[in-house]
């Protein structure tokens, strides 16, 4: 005897006992108390029946709870099943709702087994079933069992009826029941369709909640990357200001001191020697003019480095051609950059190349210095290969530190490779590789900070 039959038997016994008690109490009790006439006595059974009907209607929930407590079986009707399904759907999450939906369709149709299958890609995956079977093989547990389509699902031995859960025309899930030895009634089919309609709203709501959560997460991520990007750009501006201050300091301090000394000496010569012999004063003034011309030339070089007109007009390859023309060492400049990019990107890669040329080509050498600048696969790449470098990797790393940090602030990186000078005084082999994306986008690593500027 299964629990459903036992529950019905217990309910029948309870109802029968209650009716018998009510009839005895009404008929016999009223007869003893009122001593009714024959006409009134005929009406007492009808009064007892009315009392039984009203009492059973009022006590039905308590009788159900008593039957459940005695038999551990839930008396489920289609209406109560739909109410339970609605409560499960309001849970709002698949983890909480799907096992409940499997239980609802199983108990609502008096099936031996109810299942919920979710559409994952082009397959249906078992997501929940009732009753739970903890001892079942792992392959039959939710999440591990899958079928290709609804037709395959319907051919399973433990499946007697399948109802798809659709979102418009898209298959989201499916409900299945197994009733061995019993038929699927029209009421069972209607119940499963009603549950499927509610489940489609659940799945749509879960999908919308997931989409909203993803958008909120993406917005938080973009806010974080925006703050990091602003910090990196501020750092790049600070680096540029610091570089300009260093350039101006190196260019002007000694030259201005020498220029002042020449002017003071010329003034002293005029005051002490008078106008009769102005040769010494003229010589001092000529030295001062020479120093002033050198200072102006140096200022032009600094201005060209800070904002080179050739870079603005012809791009980084044209600007590097101008730099190479003033170097004492031969440089083989190659590569292609047919497309003009933003000023920040072109200037970023240009400054790294110019700093590398300054460190490697300021002294004459027999071998050419190979420099390649390319724009491929969404990146601007720079390669400087020097087989007879006058300095080693450590010196180059220090020379490129500021420019590499500036490039890193724009989302790029600089890497150094090669060998240090030989112990006997042989040349070093230095390879500088730098890259920068061809579009400025927020680039933040896992820790939320810019990674090391120079690697090697």
């Amino acid at each position: 005897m299964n629990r459903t039959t036992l529950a019905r038997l217990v309910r029948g016994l309870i109802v029968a006992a209650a009716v018998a008690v009510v009839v005895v109490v009404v008929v016999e009790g009223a007869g003893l108390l009122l001593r009714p006439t024959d006409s009134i006595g005929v009406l007492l059974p009808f009064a007892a029946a009315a009392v039984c009907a009203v009492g059973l209607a009022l006590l039905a929930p308590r009788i159900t709870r008593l039957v459940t407590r005695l038999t551990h079986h839930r008396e489920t009707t289609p209406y109560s099943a739909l109410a339970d399904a609605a409560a499960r759907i309001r849970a709002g999450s698949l983890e909480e709702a799907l096992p409940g939906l499997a239980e609802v369709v199983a108990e609502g149709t008096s099936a031996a087994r109810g299942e919920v299958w979710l559409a994952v890609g082009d397959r249906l995956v078992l997501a929940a079933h009732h009753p739970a079977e903890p001892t079942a093989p792992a392959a039959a547990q939710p999440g591990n069992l899958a079928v290709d389509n609804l037709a395959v699902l319907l051919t399973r031995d433990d499946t007697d009826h399948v109802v798809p859960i659709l979102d418009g025309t898209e298959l989201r899930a499916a409900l299945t029941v197994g009733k061995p030895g019993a038929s699927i009634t029209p009421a069972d089919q209607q119940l499963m369709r009603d549950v499927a309609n509610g489940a489609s709203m659940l799945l749509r709501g879960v999908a919308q909640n997931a989409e909203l959560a993803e958008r909120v997460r993406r917005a938080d991520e973009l806010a974080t990357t925006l703050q990091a990007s602003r910090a990196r750009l501020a750092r790049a501006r600070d680096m540029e200001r610091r570089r300009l201050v260093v350039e101006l300091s190196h260019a002007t301090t000694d030259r201005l001191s020498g220029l002042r000394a020449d002017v003071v000496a010329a003034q002293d010569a005029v005051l002490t020697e008078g106008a009769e012999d102005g040769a010494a004063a003229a010589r001092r003034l000529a030295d001062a003019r020479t120093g002033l011309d050198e200072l102006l030339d140096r200022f032009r070089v600094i201005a060209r480095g800070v904002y080179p007109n050739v870079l603005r007009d012809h791009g980084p390859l044209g600007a590097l051609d101008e730099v190479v023309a003033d170097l004492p060492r031969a440089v083989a400049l190659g590569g292609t950059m047919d497309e003009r990019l933003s000023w920040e990107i072109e200037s970023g890669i240009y400054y790294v190349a110019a700093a590398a040329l300054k460190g490697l080509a300021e002294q004459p050498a027999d071998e050419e210095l190979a420099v390649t600048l390319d724009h491929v696969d969404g990146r601007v790449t720079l390669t400087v290969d020097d087989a007879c470098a006058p300095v080693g990797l450590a010196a180059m790393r220090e020379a490129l530190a500021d420019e590499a940090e500036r490039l890193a602030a724009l989302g790029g990186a600089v890497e150094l490779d090669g060998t240090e000078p030989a112990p006997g005084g042989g040349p070093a082999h230095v390879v500088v590789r730098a890259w920068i994306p061809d579009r400025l986008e927020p680039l933040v690593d896992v820790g939320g900070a810019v990674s090391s500027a120079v690697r090697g």
Side-chain angles (χ1 to χ4, degrees), residues 238-320:
D238 291 339
M239 292 294 303
E240 191 63 24
R241 284 194 291 266
R242 187 169 63 189
R243 187 176 72 88
L244 182 58
V245 168
V246 172
E247 288 282 350
L248 289 174
S249 177
H250 289 170
T252 59
T253 302
D254 295 339
R255 288 179 173 83
L256 285 175
S257 297
L259 178 60
R260 183 177 184 279
D262 289 336
V263 172
V264 170
Q267 181 183 14
D268 293 341
V270 171
L271 294 177
T272 56
E273 299 178 9
E276 296 178 357
D277 187 5
R283 186 174 62 254
R284 291 294 186 179
L285 289 175
D287 293 340
R289 180 173 181 175
T290 301
L292 182 59
D293 291 339
E294 292 178 355
L295 183 60
L296 291 175
D297 289 339
R298 186 57 183 169
F299 268 119
R300 292 190 184 97
V301 172
I302 293 174
R304 186 177 62 187
V306 173
Y307 190 78
N309 291 331
V310 178
L311 177 61
R312 179 193 61 197
D313 297 336
H314 302 286
L317 278 175
L320 289 177

Side-chain angles (χ1 to χ4, degrees), residues 165-185:
I165 299 176
L166 301 176
D167 184 5
T169 59
E170 184 177 358
L171 178 65
R172 292 289 189 182
L175 300 176
T176 67
V177 292
K179 295 181 68 174
S183 61
I184 302 295
T185 66

